[in-house]
Amino acid sequence: MLTNQQALDEARRQKQALQTIGGWRRLLFVLTACFVALAAWGFTTGVPAAGIAGAVLGVIGMVLTLLVHLSIVRGEKNVEAILASLEPGTSHKG
């Protein structure tokens, strides 16, 4: 069982990690947009190799962006649970 101070420290560390992961999510989103633009350019200008590569990389980027977003959502719920366990009147069952 964590002490209140340990739980607060853990929540703070997790919040910092979530901010870092949020930066990764933004980067992945921008890269995905670039890949989709590459796919559109490739298919409209008659360069199918660029279109196919952009489309494949765009799909991979979207999946990775979704996974990172879901990890952020779950991490935020975890931080909320840690902080809620510190409130008086809540049970400390693990």
Side-chain angles (χ1 to χ4, degrees):
M1 180 60 65
L2 296 176
T3 66
N4 285 352
Q5 187 59 44
Q6 289 173 326
L8 284 172
D9 290 341
E10 179 63 24
R12 189 175 304 113
R13 282 191 300 272
Q14 286 190 22
K15 290 288 273 186
Q16 290 171 346
L18 289 171
Q19 288 177 348
T20 300
I21 296 171
W24 297 349
R25 177 178 56 184
R26 283 187 296 278
L27 177 63
L28 282 168
F29 188 80
V30 169
L31 285 174
T32 299
C34 291
F35 292 141
V36 170
L38 174 66
W41 173 81
F43 288 129
T44 58
T45 60
V47 185
I52 292 169
V56 169
L57 292 172
V59 169
I60 292 170
M62 282 190 280
V63 170
L64 291 175
T65 303
L66 177 63
L67 290 174
V68 169
H69 176 73
L70 290 175
S71 70
I72 291 171
V73 170
R74 294 192 116 194
E76 288 171 346
K77 287 181 182 179
N78 190 39
V79 170
E80 290 173 10
I82 290 171
L83 296 176
S85 72
L86 298 175
E87 294 176 3
T90 58
S91 66
H92 293 284
K93 293 181 182 176

